[in-house]
């Protein structure tokens, strides 16, 4: 392939190996690389360290270890990292994550790293920790991340009281809580009575972006109108 000028490449679930990463290392314009569920290992990650403009690296369920995370910490522009289901990393990686000066979005789902290990991360805008058993220590660590805008806790054991505590996060815009069986619609309503501008996704479909004037109550009204009008096929919010 002629990759001249390419900024983004998605190779998820392909048969690529570390050899492909060596090819990508020669494309200095690359800003986003996606290699979920591939045979890429630390060796391939070392090759990507040559990319001066890499901002997003998504590598769910690959053979990366702490050494690979250490290598990524040297990338000056990296702001988004997904290491979900990467069983090779340990808590040692937290030390390297803290050295990433621009890191603002992190996914640690189903790894040994939990929110309580990230309490010192003040600049995170997005955190994903899905299908996890959260302790009160984890909740307190999340509350210390005052820059959070989007929090994904899909399939967690979050309680109603813990949900209400997130109303203290001053910049929160979106909570992804599908599969959280301890969270009821009444508790979501209670939260949104306090923070109407925060979108909470439980079972409803959602988009990545919302109108500037978004509110949870308006979304429910729009969906109610949609149900009552079978001729209408779209909604203002969904």
């Amino acid at each position: 392939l002629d990759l001249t000028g390419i900024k983004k490449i998605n190779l998820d679930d392909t048969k690529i190996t570390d050899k492909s990463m060596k090819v990508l290392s020669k494309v200095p314009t690359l800003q986003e690389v996606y290699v979920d569920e591939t045979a890429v290992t630390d060796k391939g990650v070392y090759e990507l360290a040559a990319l001066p403009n890499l901002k997003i690296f998504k590598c769910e369920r690959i053979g990366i270890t702490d050494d690979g995370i250490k290598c990524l910490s040297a990338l000056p522009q990296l702001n988004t990292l997904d290491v979900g289901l990467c069983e090779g990393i340990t808590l040692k990686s937290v030390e390297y994550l803290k050295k990433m000066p621009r890191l603002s979005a992190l996914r640690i789902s189903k790894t040994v790293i939990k929110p309580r290990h990230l309490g010192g991360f003040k600049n995170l805008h997005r955190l994903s920790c899905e299908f996890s058993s959260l302790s009160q220590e984890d909740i307190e660590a999340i509350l210390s991340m005052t820059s959070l805008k989007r929090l994904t806790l899909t399939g967690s054991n979050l309680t109603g009281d813990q949900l209400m505590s997130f109303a203290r996060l001053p910049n929160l815009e979106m909570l992804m809580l599908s599969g959280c069986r301890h969270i009821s619609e009444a508790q979501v309503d209670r939260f949104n009575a306090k923070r109407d501008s925060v979108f909470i996704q439980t079972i409803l479909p959602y988009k990545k972006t919302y109108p500037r004037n978004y509110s949870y109550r308006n979304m429910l009204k729009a969906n109610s109108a949609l149900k009552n009008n079978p001729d209408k096929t779209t909604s203002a919010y969904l």
Side-chain angles (χ1 to χ4, degrees), residues 72-88:
L72 290 172
S73 69
L75 288 167
Q77 301 296 326
L78 191 68
N79 60 46
T80 301
L81 179 62
D82 180 351
V83 292
L85 288 91
C86 290
E87 298 178 351

Side-chain angles (χ1 to χ4, degrees), residues 6-19:
I6 290 292
K7 293 184 178 181
K8 174 181 177 179
I9 188 164
N10 190 325
L11 297 167
D12 290 348
D13 198 25
T14 62
K15 294 184 179 181
I16 60 163
T17 67
D18 294 330
K19 291 180 180 179

Side-chain angles (χ1 to χ4, degrees), residues 125-139:
H125 291 171
R126 293 189 177 191
L127 176 64
S128 297
C129 186
E130 300 146 299
F131 304 102
S132 181
S133 180
L134 301 172
S135 68
Q136 188 56 35
E137 190 179 359
D138 290 316
I139 301 300

Side-chain angles (χ1 to χ4, degrees), residues 29 130 202:
T29 55
E130 300 146 299
T202 52

Side-chain angles (χ1 to χ4, degrees), residues 3 19 70 86 174 233:
L3 300 177
K19 291 180 180 179
K70 181 180 180 180
C86 290
M174 189 175 291
T233 57

Side-chain angles (χ1 to χ4, degrees), residues 4-92:
T4 304
I6 290 292
K7 293 184 178 181
K8 174 181 177 179
I9 188 164
N10 190 325
L11 297 167
D12 290 348
D13 198 25
T14 62
K15 294 184 179 181
I16 60 163
T17 67
D18 294 330
K19 291 180 180 179
S20 295
M21 299 300 99
K22 189 170 184 178
V23 174
L24 296 185
S25 71
K26 299 175 182 178
V27 187
T29 55
L30 268 176
Q31 297 180 9
E32 302 180 33
V33 174
Y34 300 78
V35 291
D36 289 355
E37 300 196 46
T38 62
V40 173
T41 69
D42 286 343
K43 185 177 179 181
V45 174
Y46 297 156
E47 299 289 351
L48 294 182
L51 295 174
N53 297 304
L54 189 64
K55 296 179 178 180
I56 299 175
F57 185 50
K58 194 171 184 297
C59 57
E60 177 182 301
R61 207 195 295 264
I62 72 167
I64 193 173
T65 71
D66 297 332
D67 288 340
I69 302 297
K70 181 180 180 180
C71 186
L72 290 172
S73 69
L75 288 167
Q77 301 296 326
L78 191 68
N79 60 46
T80 301
L81 179 62
D82 180 351
V83 292
L85 288 91
C86 290
E87 298 178 351
I89 62 176
T90 72
L91 292 181
K92 181 69 175 176

Side-chain angles (χ1 to χ4, degrees), residues 41-188:
T41 69
D42 286 343
K43 185 177 179 181
V45 174
Y46 297 156
E47 299 289 351
L48 294 182
L51 295 174
N53 297 304
L54 189 64
K55 296 179 178 180
I56 299 175
F57 185 50
K58 194 171 184 297
C59 57
E60 177 182 301
R61 207 195 295 264
I62 72 167
I64 193 173
T65 71
D66 297 332
D67 288 340
I69 302 297
K70 181 180 180 180
C71 186
L72 290 172
S73 69
L75 288 167
Q77 301 296 326
L78 191 68
N79 60 46
T80 301
L81 179 62
D82 180 351
V83 292
L85 288 91
C86 290
E87 298 178 351
I89 62 176
T90 72
L91 292 181
K92 181 69 175 176
S93 284
V94 175
E95 174 187 337
Y96 304 129
L97 293 173
K98 289 182 177 180
K99 293 180 179 179
M100 298 181 183
R102 297 182 180 272
L103 187 64
S104 62
L106 177 63
R107 182 168 180 260
I108 52 171
S109 303
K110 305 209 80 170
T111 68
V112 297
I113 302 175
K114 306 300 178 188
R116 60 182 174 272
H117 303 126
L118 305 173
F121 282 65
K122 301 295 184 181
N123 298 319
L124 280 183
H125 291 171
R126 293 189 177 191
L127 176 64
S128 297
C129 186
E130 300 146 299
F131 304 102
S132 181
S133 180
L134 301 172
S135 68
Q136 188 56 35
E137 190 179 359
D138 290 316
I139 301 300
E140 293 300 324
I142 291 172
L143 291 173
S144 75
M145 302 176 193
T146 54
S147 295
L148 276 181
K149 294 183 177 180
R150 179 167 174 169
L151 177 60
T152 301
L153 299 175
T154 301
S156 74
N157 61 333
L158 190 73
T159 67
D161 288 341
Q162 290 170 336
L163 168 61
M164 286 304 299
S165 72
F166 291 150
R168 290 153 47 190
L169 289 169
N171 296 296
L172 191 64
E173 297 174 353
M174 189 175 291
L175 267 169
M176 317 306 289
L177 302 179
S178 63
C180 294
R181 52 196 180 93
H182 300 302
I183 302 299
S184 67
E185 288 186 20
Q187 289 166 333
V188 171

